[in-house]
Amino acid sequence: MQHDHILILDFGSQVTQLIARRVREHGVYSEIWPYNHADEDRIRAYNPKAIILGGGPASVTDEGSPRAPSCIFDMGIPVLGICYGQQTMIAQLGGKVEKQDHHEYGRAEIKVTHNCALFSSTWTEGSTPTVWMSHGDRVTDIPEGFEIVATSKGAPYAIVADESRHYYGIQFHPEVMHTQNGSEIIRNFVIDIAGCKGDWTMAAYKDEAIAKIREEVGNEKVICGLSGGVDSSVAAVLIHEAIGDQLTCIYVDTGMMRKGESDQVVKLFRDHYNIPLIHEDASTVFLGKLEGVSDPEKKRKIIGGTFIDVFDECASRIGGAQWLAQGTLYPDVIESVSYTGGPSVTIKSHHNVGGLPEKMNLKILEPLRELFKDEVRDLGRTLGLHDNFVSRHPFPGPGLAVRCPGEITKEKLDILREADAVYLDAIREEGLYNEIWQAFVVLLPVRTVGVMGDGRTYDYACALRAVTSADGMTADFYQFEMDFLSRVATRIINEVRGINRVTYDITSKPPGTIEWE
Ligand code: XMP
């Protein structure tokens, strides 16, 4: 790798990925490794400019709790410890950490007691910034060479520094948005203290990714499944720039796409980008297999399995392909640190067409596997994809099937498509689309009585869903103005035949999930 890079060691915190994103926002490439898979040889071979130790749920005071590999303190490079990372660094270097009865979560005010390179651009002695804390234990004594540079009521050692060795320990989380100037602290560490150049830009990434794809693929053929989503689209355009018509895309229309979606995909890729594209309308096959099935998991499994069969058949028509391109992202490949060791419960079996590579016996090309979602969007813009396209809300693999609880019929899907189009149109008109993570209509398997004009109606009810989220793992329902909701309800009932009642879903995740099935 030609760019400077930072290694982040993960101790299991929910927000470690944010550290990597903040570092990369300053043009510095970073990777996350589990602390216990980072042996000395591997770390030295990776040759990071600096190391960041992330937070975690364990207690440094417990026997057998995680420790940073001790070699990192012999490498002569800067180390930043955050929360648990601060505590283990201090403990490993000869300081003390103690359990506290009083835990501290949420906003807190710290007081800067000395100037320090970590916050030289923003705070000076006497500043009282607001930060975000989340800790039970705290440092109670520091190793030789360290000094306290900021303090707070709950954490007297809020920031400690050994400026000569470039070791810094922060009790709060600079990576979360609620910490004032948190991003500058990360910048100061990676640019000023570690001396990284900050030249990892999307334009550079694009050129390097293209060169790498050319080298990997040579003159072999690649196929890529398009879903209409951002990841597979960006992967396809990038690969096409690299190897031109050695790439063929396959778009399987499951019949569960949104209104106009299939046309848009075909127009964009075949007509605009001139990418060879197989457009397979398999809606009758999918609907046939789903007839009479109402169990959510069975629906998902049938769709996943049918997709693999149809895709495989389309690919065999191309002949001679050795590679399958996939839009895998960095969060899918980060190894996670597990303390429970037990298997996690399957909430939903996701449609990530995992069975495809095994069935087809192809090599896998994953040009986005180092990127976070927002970076993929940036790369898409760099490749000339329109902002309307790259900023699109996520759409689940099984499509409208999971927004149509109960048995699926073409009639129900058509009604849902119309209502969904009206809802999204209203959201765009109101300028709210980019504030919302995902918005969609769910067609309820219930008919209700209504009155329109002088007549009785007996039609479907629908639910509107809109959530805000950072990553889809947790979500809050979006707080629309009542007036807006009332206008949307009126439009749907007037414009969509088959719906006579509109409700708004105010469930967050957890306890709900974003999709209804
Ligand atoms: P849930 O409903 O589990 O959804 O809260 C979280 C996010 O994942 C999307 N989703 C899927 N994405 N394949 C995907 O690639 C799937 O099978 C799938 N099911 C749900 C959902 O739209 C939301 O963004």
Side-chain angles (χ1 to χ4, degrees):
M1 149 137 11
Q2 309 142 7
H3 302 279
D4 296 327
H5 46 277
I6 298 284
L7 176 59
I8 297 160
L9 294 183
D10 180 28
F11 292 91
S13 157
Q14 302 281 324
V15 289
T16 305
Q17 290 191 19
L18 290 180
I19 306 177
R21 287 165 63 176
R22 293 290 97 78
V23 170
R24 290 169 174 214
E25 278 162 16
H26 298 294
V28 179
Y29 183 69
S30 62
E31 279 187 15
I32 300 171
W33 298 3
Y35 76 94
N36 49 354
H37 288 190
D39 63 49
E40 179 162 356
D41 292 346
R42 193 172 165 217
I43 297 177
R44 285 190 190 273
Y46 187 60
N47 194 22
K49 287 285 269 192
I51 289 182
I52 300 180
L53 309 175
S59 169
V60 167
T61 60
D62 288 346
E63 222 182 287
S65 53
R67 290 288 175 270
S70 55
C71 67
I72 68 170
F73 301 111
D74 303 327
M75 290 170 65
I77 56 173
V79 181
L80 171 65
I82 295 174
C83 199
Y84 186 88
Q86 178 207 38
Q87 294 166 4
T88 190
M89 171 164 81
I90 293 303
Q92 288 180 249
L93 294 174
K96 240 198 206 141
V97 176
E98 283 175 15
K99 266 201 165 67
Q100 298 294 312
D101 294 335
H102 179 72
H103 292 200
E104 192 179 25
Y105 296 108
R107 281 170 213 277
E109 188 175 271
I110 60 166
K111 182 160 189 202
V112 172
T113 53
H114 288 89
N115 293 332
C116 171
L118 203 54
F119 44 76
S120 58
S121 56
T122 45
W123 307 333
T124 48
E125 202 180 314
S127 300
T128 53
T130 302
V131 302
W132 195 72
M133 295 274 191
S134 175
H135 64 110
D137 302 352
R138 69 186 190 196
V139 173
T140 52
D141 195 12
I142 43 182
E144 223 181 289
F146 276 83
E147 66 169 347
I148 302 173
V149 292
T151 166
S152 81
K153 230 158 104 205
Y157 297 78
I159 309 181
V160 295
D162 177 340
E163 298 251 36
S164 64
R165 286 188 287 178
H166 307 299
Y167 291 166
Y168 300 88
I170 308 183
Q171 181 56 76
F172 56 89
H173 288 269
E175 68 276 28
V176 307
M177 293 297 181
H178 316 287
T179 290
Q180 221 177 320
N181 306 113
S183 174
E184 279 103 316
I185 290 181
I186 304 269
R187 194 212 79 90
N188 291 347
F189 180 71
V190 298
I191 304 281
D192 296 345
I193 296 169
C196 294
K197 283 197 277 300
D199 55 3
W200 188 75
T201 60
M202 269 309 135
Y205 183 90
K206 181 188 118 181
D207 294 342
E208 287 158 19
I210 287 176
K212 198 167 149 204
I213 293 167
R214 284 187 184 140
E215 194 189 315
E216 254 188 300
V217 171
N219 53 13
E220 298 179 336
K221 279 191 186 171
V222 179
I223 49 179
C224 176
L226 285 179
S227 65
V230 177
D231 308 338
S232 61
S233 304
V234 172
V237 175
L238 179 72
I239 296 168
H240 188 248
E241 274 219 35
I243 56 166
D245 288 356
Q246 282 165 255
L247 169 74
T248 304
C249 288
I250 298 174
Y251 174 67
V252 175
D253 184 348
T254 58
M256 276 155 292
M257 312 307 281
R258 288 164 292 190
K259 189 177 174 185
E261 194 157 24
S262 298
D263 280 349
Q264 282 165 20
V265 172
V266 174
K267 267 203 186 93
L268 183 70
F269 290 92
R270 189 183 281 160
D271 303 343
H272 181 75
Y273 280 105
N274 263 320
I275 301 181
L277 173 73
I278 294 185
H279 172 201
E280 184 72 2
D281 182 356
S283 46
T284 325
V285 180
F286 279 87
L287 281 175
K289 296 220 172 184
L290 286 165
E291 208 180 306
V293 183
S294 53
D295 177 77
E297 269 305 286
K298 278 198 189 129
K299 281 161 75 177
R300 279 180 169 268
K301 294 245 159 75
I302 290 173
I303 294 169
T306 309
F307 185 91
I308 291 177
D309 292 343
V310 174
F311 191 91
D312 188 35
E313 197 277 310
C314 293
S316 66
R317 271 184 247 154
I318 302 168
Q322 286 99 326
W323 294 85
L324 175 71
Q326 298 205 312
T328 314
L329 304 191
Y330 192 46
D332 306 324
V333 295
I334 298 174
E335 293 175 75
S336 55
V337 173
S338 161
Y339 287 98
T340 54
S344 53
V345 183
T346 302
I347 307 286
K348 302 175 182 181
S349 50
H350 266 211
H351 174 281
N352 292 333
V353 288
L356 264 180
E358 295 84 40
K359 171 151 186 173
M360 301 177 68
N361 198 18
L362 294 170
K363 294 181 270 190
I364 301 291
L365 186 64
E366 293 175 318
L368 310 179
R369 61 180 282 132
E370 286 162 359
L371 302 183
F372 288 106
K373 186 91 181 180
D374 37 2
E375 294 165 343
V376 171
R377 294 197 160 112
D378 256 9
L379 178 62
R381 288 184 198 102
T382 309
L383 286 161
L385 278 161
H386 197 278
D387 198 52
N388 273 350
F389 193 83
V390 292
S391 311
R392 286 171 66 164
H393 293 168
F395 187 61
L400 298 183
V402 295
R403 298 176 178 175
C404 198
E407 189 187 348
I408 296 171
T409 61
K410 170 131 182 5
E411 181 218 2
K412 282 186 186 170
L413 289 170
D414 285 341
I415 296 173
L416 175 54
R417 261 188 277 272
E418 289 303 320
D420 195 68
V422 171
Y423 181 41
L424 283 176
D425 180 56
I427 286 176
R428 283 209 177 86
E429 250 177 27
E430 200 75 4
L432 299 175
Y433 189 84
N434 289 337
E435 271 183 43
I436 294 171
W437 166 268
Q438 245 174 318
F440 52 87
V441 174
V442 180
L443 189 74
L444 305 183
V446 213
R447 284 176 187 249
T448 72
V449 174
V451 50
M452 281 176 91
D454 290 324
R456 174 188 192 271
T457 58
Y458 185 57
D459 283 330
Y460 287 109
C462 74
L464 309 181
R465 181 88 165 125
V467 296
T468 54
S469 175
D471 50 15
M473 303 294 286
T474 59
D476 280 329
F477 75 89
Y478 187 77
Q479 309 228 359
F480 287 117
E481 299 282 335
M482 276 299 165
D483 181 47
F484 173 80
L485 284 175
S486 141
R487 275 184 283 128
V488 174
T490 307
R491 271 192 65 183
I492 291 179
I493 291 168
N494 285 342
E495 294 173 34
V496 183
R497 276 186 79 108
I499 292 182
N500 69 353
R501 192 173 296 263
V502 177
T503 64
Y504 187 52
D505 177 359
I506 56 164
T507 320
S508 292
K509 174 183 180 178
T513 52
I514 296 177
E515 305 290 348
W516 275 41
E517 284 193 340

